[in-house]
Amino acid sequence: MNAPTFPVASPISRRAIRELPDDLISQIAAGEVVERPASVVRELVDNALDAGATQVTVRLLAGGVRLISVADDGNGILPDELAMALKRHATSKIANLHDLESVSTMGFRGEALAAINSIAACSILSRATGQNSAFLLDGQTGELRPVARGNGTTVEVKELFFSTPARRKFLKTDATELAHCVEAVRRHALGRPDVGFAIWHEGKLVEQWRACTGDNALEQRLTDVLGKDFAGQSIAVNFGSADARSEAQASGLSNSQPGSRSGAPAVRVWGRAGIPDAARSRADQQYCYVNGRFVRDKVLAHAARSAYEDVLHGHRQPVYALFIELDHARVDVNVHPTKIEVRFRDSREVHQAVRHAVENALAAPRANQVDAVTATSDTPWDGHLPTASDLSSGSFFIQNRPLSLAGYVQSAIFLEANPALRAEDSGLPWVRPAQTSTALAALEGEPQQSEEIVWPLGKALAQLQGIYILAENAQGLIIVDMHAAHERIVYERLKSQLQATDHKGQPQTIASQPLLIPVTFAATAEEVATAEAHVEALATLGVEITPFSARTLAVRALPGSLADGDATELARSVLAELAQHDASTVIARAQNELLSTMACHGAVRANRRLTLEEMNALLRQMEATDRSDQCNHGRPTWRQVSIKELDALFLRGR
Ligand SMILES: Nc1ncnc2c1ncn2[C@@H]1O[C@H](COP(=O)(O)OP(=O)(O)OP(=O)(O)O)[C@@H](O)[C@H]1O
Ligand SMILES: [Mg+2]
């Protein structure tokens, strides 16, 4: 048999090493920077914003493939610098390494226009501030001639990829490319509410966002760009500003970096985070900005997602627009040719700040914002108790924002402990002695009806099918899933007990309550073994399960708040979870899962008849419990049906 033959490589002729021609270098750079028309739009709008534009107009033909024109009213380019703008590595934005390390402009690489000019027909028309006339530079021929134009610059890019047809084949339909272009401008628009934007396609106005000013500029822009739903279904995030500073210090996130305001956190985070209900199946409404630049960053995405951990389950994607600001020297933007990625000097610090900011915004119960969310851009209570000086100066009622009910009740407790501050003339609309004690009583689970107080979740009316509580509030009807709501309340209570530390800084165990009559149940050998092996872990959880016989276990004690639940089911589920873990790490690692399981079995079951008092007590507890808008599995616990919606149901005009 013949041995197989392999083709023999022909000897490669050695070629001399040469420098590449400028054009080819630019085309290689273009391969990294320009993927599709939207990349050109991004670069040109970046340049317009760097030039101080207040209005940017984008015109497109055929999804941007035939023409992209971006016009601005910025400070323009001097005629004798026009040719330079198209040169590789020519920029007005940085001059040395120090500038690069603290860059605050969108551009700095000095290659975008050169790259674009190498793969399309480019022209720049510009009139610099202080000049009498405008000049047009043809990027292909280098011809320069005077033309008429007001201050600012228009860059036109025609026939993208005309010289690299292979690349052109990768483009999708015009409609898809247009959508990408619009998204590119949207990213800029969210980052710069103070600048007006307009997008035209084939002579038709596709989007227009007018410049916004004033305190609500960002909210207005978010509404204009992402729609009313986003604004109405999101909560203001604010971390690291003067208001939130004391809170950051308390949580150990404050960091006195050189250059940062004394005592202010090194990282500031603001914007809006969607409520869990607003989550989507795709991650298409997640906008993160670092020092004004839109970025896709794993640290930020993870931090934001982890803030939803406890309220959003499964594969739902939260929506948010978050703006992160930190010292320019603490973030490296020179990581990726398109600058969409950044590298943080201390990513842990940024992760913590973002997570904390979003978590805080989500924690406060939203019951009292039924109206406020849409009416005003309300910020919920930020989680810190008022200090004596806050109260006497009235500054705790920040910018007249309504305080959330959890905040109200906690303040009431604070006032109870500081009677000197309870003066009638404290200037605070909600500080009235009568209310204080009522709020306290309600928190203690002692329902009291008071005409004076308007409870956000209203007054209980009835129970429906043993599942729902119906209540009446100022807006109309409130429907509460009683098991889901109670489950969250119990879960949060268990969590805070376990997270609390004693005066020596040791973690607390959950207070348990012996059962009058131990509950025994037939157990598997594995369950018995687990109960014996995990006595300490169970004690930390406030649970006592001891073997009664070789095949029987007895539940002897449970946390007080779970005493009404199904002891057998609870014991079985906890043992099943414990069996999967190593005893030494179980509480630290699986704490929340364990507590959530316990809460699920400890919460009121369907078909338990509740008295009106019990229903009201549950509503009051919801108002005072963090994250009570979702159950432990991320489902909503309550819904508002407004009078308007009820009227519509009955075709009733008003
Ligand atoms: N719309 C504009 N208005 C005023 N000057 C502009 C405008 N567009 C470009 N320029 C000038 O042309 C130069 C080159 O622009 P180009 O986009 O190629 O590089 P860059 O913005 O400096 O850096 P990068 O490659 O990171 O974008 C800029 O530095 C700027 O001085
Ligand atoms: Mg640029």
Side-chain angles (χ1 to χ4, degrees):
M1 217 167 73
N2 285 339
T5 53
F6 295 102
V8 181
S10 59
I12 295 170
S13 56
R14 213 188 63 79
R15 290 211 228 165
I17 302 172
R18 287 194 204 94
E19 279 188 272
L20 293 174
D22 264 10
D23 261 8
L24 186 54
I25 299 177
S26 291
Q27 281 167 341
I28 292 171
E32 296 178 319
V33 181
V34 184
E35 187 194 344
R36 56 179 2 141
S39 330
V40 174
V41 171
R42 178 195 65 228
E43 292 298 332
L44 300 185
V45 178
D46 266 358
N47 283 346
L49 295 175
D50 282 345
T54 63
Q55 176 64 41
V56 178
T57 305
V58 179
R59 284 171 213 278
L60 307 164
L61 292 179
V65 182
R66 274 185 48 220
L67 170 80
I68 299 166
S69 144
V70 174
D72 66 55
D73 59 353
N75 52 25
I77 306 172
L78 288 170
D80 51 356
E81 288 185 5
L82 272 172
M84 192 61 106
L86 286 177
K87 270 206 137 90
R88 264 191 319 123
H89 308 314
T91 179
S92 58
K93 298 170 191 177
I94 60 168
N96 52 45
L97 184 63
H98 176 262
D99 291 350
L100 176 64
E101 283 171 351
S102 55
V103 66
S104 61
T105 45
M106 293 291 173
F108 57 83
R109 301 167 60 99
E111 64 179 10
L113 289 182
I116 295 167
N117 192 42
S118 74
I119 49 163
C122 249
S123 67
I124 313 179
L125 194 174
S126 189
R127 176 165 158 190
T129 319
Q131 296 286 303
N132 296 330
S133 57
F135 284 85
L136 176 80
L137 174 74
D138 182 320
Q140 302 299 299
T141 63
E143 185 202 345
L144 187 70
R145 61 185 164 87
V147 284
R149 192 203 193 281
N151 278 351
T153 305
T154 305
V155 177
E156 270 190 14
V157 177
K158 284 183 187 153
E159 303 300 336
L160 191 61
F161 299 132
F162 76 97
S163 57
T164 45
R167 199 72 190 230
R168 198 162 177 158
K169 289 207 187 91
F170 281 101
L171 296 178
K172 301 278 187 309
T173 62
D174 288 359
T176 303
E177 295 304 334
L178 170 65
H180 284 287
C181 292
V182 172
E183 179 63 16
V185 184
R186 189 176 285 134
R187 290 172 180 176
H188 281 106
L190 291 176
R192 291 295 302 273
D194 57 319
V195 176
F197 292 87
I199 309 170
W200 296 77
H201 187 239
E202 304 283 343
K204 289 199 193 84
L205 186 62
V206 182
E207 290 285 4
Q208 181 169 37
W209 302 306
R210 290 181 205 286
C212 307
T213 51
D215 288 348
N216 280 335
L218 176 62
E219 271 79 10
Q220 186 59 53
R221 178 53 61 87
L222 286 168
T223 307
D224 293 346
V225 176
L226 298 178
K228 274 210 185 78
D229 283 355
F230 181 89
Q233 297 211 312
S234 63
I235 309 160
V237 173
N238 192 4
F239 172 83
S241 64
D243 294 349
R245 201 174 304 168
S246 52
E247 184 201 338
Q249 274 164 347
S251 62
L253 286 173
S254 163
N255 178 338
S256 302
Q257 292 303 327
S260 71
R261 290 162 295 163
S262 66
V267 183
R268 243 198 99 198
V269 184
W270 74 97
R272 287 189 85 84
I275 62 173
D277 260 9
R280 299 157 74 91
S281 54
R282 293 197 311 143
D284 58 347
Q285 285 203 351
Q286 301 182 342
Y287 294 91
C288 280
Y289 293 78
V290 174
N291 291 338
R293 186 190 303 282
F294 175 87
V295 296
R296 283 226 173 280
D297 181 79
K298 285 205 180 76
V299 172
L300 300 178
H302 185 271
R305 188 67 182 83
S306 65
Y308 282 87
E309 203 164 69
D310 225 6
V311 288
L312 192 64
H313 290 238
H315 301 293
R316 306 284 294 160
Q317 293 289 345
V319 305
Y320 49 76
L322 298 175
F323 300 85
I324 293 103
E325 192 181 78
L326 70 171
D327 193 58
H328 288 283
R330 298 181 71 74
V331 50
D332 187 356
V333 292
N334 184 24
V335 179
H336 194 271
T338 66
K339 311 174 194 93
I340 196 155
E341 287 171 21
V342 290
R343 198 177 295 134
F344 296 110
R345 191 165 292 178
D346 184 347
S347 41
R348 221 183 70 120
E349 156 195 270
V350 177
H351 190 280
Q352 282 186 353
V354 171
R355 181 181 171 139
H356 189 77
V358 178
E359 238 171 28
N360 257 3
L362 294 173
R366 287 180 295 278
N368 64 327
Q369 299 166 46
V370 173
D371 259 349
V373 167
T374 37
T376 65
S377 58
D378 166 39
T379 305
W381 181 57
D382 61 5
H384 79 276
L385 283 174
T387 61
S389 71
D390 276 343
L391 284 170
S392 53
S393 67
S395 69
F396 187 56
F397 205 74
I398 304 157
Q399 294 163 9
N400 290 327
R401 284 187 214 128
L403 202 60
S404 82
L405 208 94
Y408 167 76
V409 175
Q410 303 233 27
S411 308
I413 299 170
F414 175 83
L415 289 166
E416 193 77 357
N418 296 273
L421 290 167
R422 245 186 297 145
E424 286 284 0
D425 60 354
S426 64
L428 300 172
W430 44 276
V431 179
R432 262 179 258 132
Q435 291 190 354
T436 311
S437 49
T438 317
L440 270 177
L443 193 72
E444 244 74 275
E446 231 179 87
Q448 288 195 10
Q449 298 302 319
S450 162
E451 292 309 313
E452 271 193 89
I453 299 185
V454 182
W455 296 111
L457 291 176
K459 270 187 350 193
L461 301 171
Q463 198 177 3
L464 185 70
Q465 303 264 337
I467 297 172
Y468 299 108
I469 294 172
L470 307 183
E472 175 186 6
N473 72 351
Q475 287 76 33
L477 179 68
I478 291 272
I479 307 173
V480 174
D481 178 335
M482 71 180 196
H483 171 75
H486 194 225
E487 187 179 351
R488 169 63 73 175
I489 292 168
V490 173
Y491 175 49
E492 291 295 325
R493 198 181 292 155
L494 294 175
K495 259 200 320 193
S496 61
Q497 279 186 30
L498 203 54
Q499 278 156 7
T501 50
D502 65 14
H503 60 281
K504 287 187 203 130
Q506 291 299 312
Q508 298 278 34
T509 57
I510 294 174
S512 76
Q513 190 177 311
L515 301 184
L516 276 180
I517 305 161
V519 178
T520 57
F521 63 97
T524 63
E526 196 194 4
E527 284 171 335
V528 176
T530 311
E532 285 179 324
H534 289 277
V535 174
E536 268 178 42
L538 287 166
T540 311
L541 297 171
V543 180
E544 192 187 334
I545 306 174
T546 54
F548 197 68
S549 70
R551 279 302 175 93
T552 316
L553 284 173
V555 185
R556 297 182 182 278
L558 285 177
S561 44
L562 301 181
D564 286 346
D566 182 337
T568 305
E569 276 310 303
L570 190 150
R572 283 211 170 109
S573 307
V574 171
L575 290 174
E577 274 187 50
L578 285 176
Q580 298 169 13
H581 299 281
D582 161 22
S584 56
T585 57
V586 62
I587 299 297
R589 291 214 350 260
Q591 174 179 320
N592 285 4
E593 290 84 27
L594 274 163
L595 297 184
S596 173
T597 304
M598 289 166 67
C600 185
H601 293 290
V604 283
R605 296 268 127 205
N607 293 325
R608 248 280 299 283
R609 282 281 144 205
L610 299 184
T611 63
L612 276 181
E613 280 70 29
E614 285 173 319
M615 292 182 220
N616 276 317
L618 184 71
L619 296 176
R620 303 295 81 80
Q621 284 170 347
M622 285 174 71
E623 287 156 351
T625 300
D626 281 352
R627 289 172 280 276
S628 62
D629 305 301
Q630 271 74 36
C631 79
N632 306 349
H633 311 291
R635 290 189 299 269
T637 55
W638 65 276
R639 294 282 187 197
Q640 172 89 58
V641 185
S642 69
I643 286 290
K644 225 169 135 188
E645 286 162 312
L646 288 172
D647 285 345
L649 271 180
F650 293 94
L651 312 175
R652 187 189 166 102
R654 275 183 192 242

